[in-house]
Amino acid sequence: MSRPTDDERGPGDRSALRRLLSIEPRAFAEDHWGRAPLLTRAVDLPAPFTDLLSTDAVDELVSERGVRTPFARMARNGALTDRSQFTDSGGFGAEVTDQLDSAGILAAFADGHTLVLQGLHRLWPPLIHFTGDLVADLGHPVQVNSYITPASSRGFDPHYDVHDVFVLQIAGEKRWILHPPVHEHPLSNQPWSDRRDAVAAMARTDPTLDVVLREGDSLYVPRGWIHSAEALGDTSIHLTVGMSAFTRHDLLHHVLGTLADDASFRAPLPVGLDLTDPDAVVPHVRALIADLTATLADTDGRARTAAERVGRRFVEVTRPAPVRPLETVRTMAGLSAATVVTWRSGLAARVTQSPESVAVTTRTKTITLPSIAADAVRQLHSGKDCAVGDLTGLDDQDAIVVVRRLLREGLVVARS
């Protein structure tokens, strides 16, 4: 996966992750990632986050963008608001009934309901690009929601998330109270509601962190850490940048997945076995563990297969930077040796070569070109900007033909 270039990054030519931290990313990775919260004040950060979202942007999303559920929800005092209170038909030509109704949201918001805008990494251009950069920095999938909370209101009860989050305060103030986990490193199928009593009990103890976030502040909350928040004074807007970390359990899942090709592990258990009797089942479990130990002793090939499976899964749950279809068609029509192109940011692909051709394989397709284009394709795949006429191994006319194909397939994009 190619990484964003400097002009795709945030203020001060800093990566997305560096925008959120005052410490070095290495220190964050070693001391905080998955381990401990981290509060960073605006004064120690390069810039506020209003380029990512603002009060005006929220109003635009609600009133002018035709946003539909489930890209939005509302809640008050820990309970979800019935969507009929804030959605309606879009009217003539847009009769779908689950579009946001700005008047309904106004009424609910004035009555103390929190508005949650979800999936903004797929809706709002500044966050689409920021998220792609952050995925490249972290190596884990990222999503972005926004919470817009009325003055002195609480949206949700103390709970924990099954993903890590950065809280970025956009406007207003919000008090955050954090307690340590009752279930460390929860998986996606281990929600806080399964441990509701333990969470409530922990929330009654002295907090680890009790802070007020103000505009431009950043707070990292590892998954599993119990938290609640309350708006103070004016309306509060914050972004929750959720990071769904791949885990050792994911690796284990894919290692076990490699056993699906082994007929001995697909064999049925005996007829007449009482599966409700643990004493009857335990010998089969022990035999399975023994066979697993023997089979997994051959780690090299199996490790490679599992690693490839993990990679495919990562590609499935992340998305490359979007392309601009009309602009791309114009670029293709006017393509010249001076046109500067680069690999599409975040697009994972495998480049393979044979004596006759070079192939580029992405999640959805394989594109084949003559072998003479192999060096040029690898040059572009490295992620560096390149003028069409500077592609290795091709004259200008051949380079234009190759780049036009790569543009058409959405593998490269033109630099403006």
Side-chain angles (χ1 to χ4, degrees), residues 77-373:
N77 296 330
L80 289 176
T81 308
D82 191 294
R83 74 178 192 177
S84 64
Q85 295 189 40
F86 61 91
T87 62
D88 202 351
S89 167
F92 176 68
E95 289 88 351
V96 289
T97 60
D98 61 346
Q99 293 186 67
L100 296 189
D101 172 32
S102 56
I105 287 180
L106 170 61
F109 191 79
D111 197 32
H113 296 246
T114 290
L115 171 65
V116 185
L117 295 174
Q118 304 184 138
L120 289 176
H121 60 294
R122 300 296 298 159
L123 287 177
W124 191 242
L127 287 170
I128 292 172
H129 299 298
F130 171 80
T131 301
D133 194 353
L134 189 57
V135 170
D137 287 341
L138 292 171
H140 296 275
V142 176
Q143 67 171 22
V144 182
N145 296 341
S146 180
Y147 291 76
I148 303 95
T149 309
S152 303
S153 293
R154 176 174 59 86
F156 296 92
D157 290 331
H159 64 284
Y160 66 73
D161 294 325
V162 294
H163 50 265
D164 300 71
V165 300
F166 273 105
V167 178
L168 312 181
Q169 191 68 26
I170 302 298
E173 298 182 350
K174 204 161 195 177
R175 179 190 179 193
W176 285 81
I177 300 174
L178 272 62
H179 292 83
V182 295
H183 183 64
E184 193 172 4
H185 303 314
L187 300 175
S188 59
N189 62 350
Q190 297 174 329
W192 75 274
S193 54
D194 290 349
R195 296 167 176 81
R196 190 182 299 271
D197 291 343
V199 168
M202 180 62 76
R204 290 192 290 270
T205 66
D206 292 336
T208 300
L209 198 62
D210 186 344
V211 296
V212 174
L213 294 190
R214 299 178 177 86
E215 182 177 337
D217 290 346
S218 167
L219 175 64
Y220 168 68
V221 183
R223 63 191 170 107
W225 276 72
I226 298 164
H227 56 275
S228 61
E230 179 182 2
L232 305 175
D234 294 333
T235 296
S236 166
I237 301 175
H238 78 263
L239 292 173
T240 294
V241 181
M243 299 154 286
S244 181
F246 275 65
T247 68
R248 287 167 60 87
H249 187 271
D250 291 310
L251 296 183
L252 177 60
H253 169 78
H254 289 287
V255 167
L256 293 178
T258 66
L259 301 177
D261 296 329
D262 189 325
S264 67
F265 291 102
R266 302 198 305 268
L269 294 172
V271 170
L273 177 64
D274 185 357
L275 294 175
T276 65
D277 180 2
D279 291 335
V281 177
V282 161
H284 297 279
V285 175
R286 287 175 176 161
L288 171 65
I289 292 173
D291 290 344
L292 278 174
T293 302
T295 301
L296 296 179
D298 175 21
T299 59
D300 290 343
R302 203 170 298 280
R304 168 64 62 176
T305 301
E308 291 173 349
R309 288 170 178 253
V310 171
R312 288 196 294 271
R313 179 57 183 161
F314 176 82
V315 171
E316 287 173 0
V317 297
T318 56
R319 289 290 181 270
V323 297
R324 303 177 72 87
L326 302 186
E327 180 180 308
T328 301
V329 169
R330 287 197 302 271
T331 299
M332 290 165 56
L335 199 61
S336 72
T339 305
V340 177
V341 294
T342 191
W343 194 259
R344 183 179 171 189
S345 179
L347 178 65
R350 185 176 73 256
V351 178
T352 55
Q353 187 175 356
S354 71
E356 297 80 22
S357 64
V358 59
V360 182
T361 302
T362 69
R363 181 177 68 92
T364 59
K365 57 189 173 183
T366 295
I367 296 91
T368 303
L369 296 166
S371 59
I372 192 176

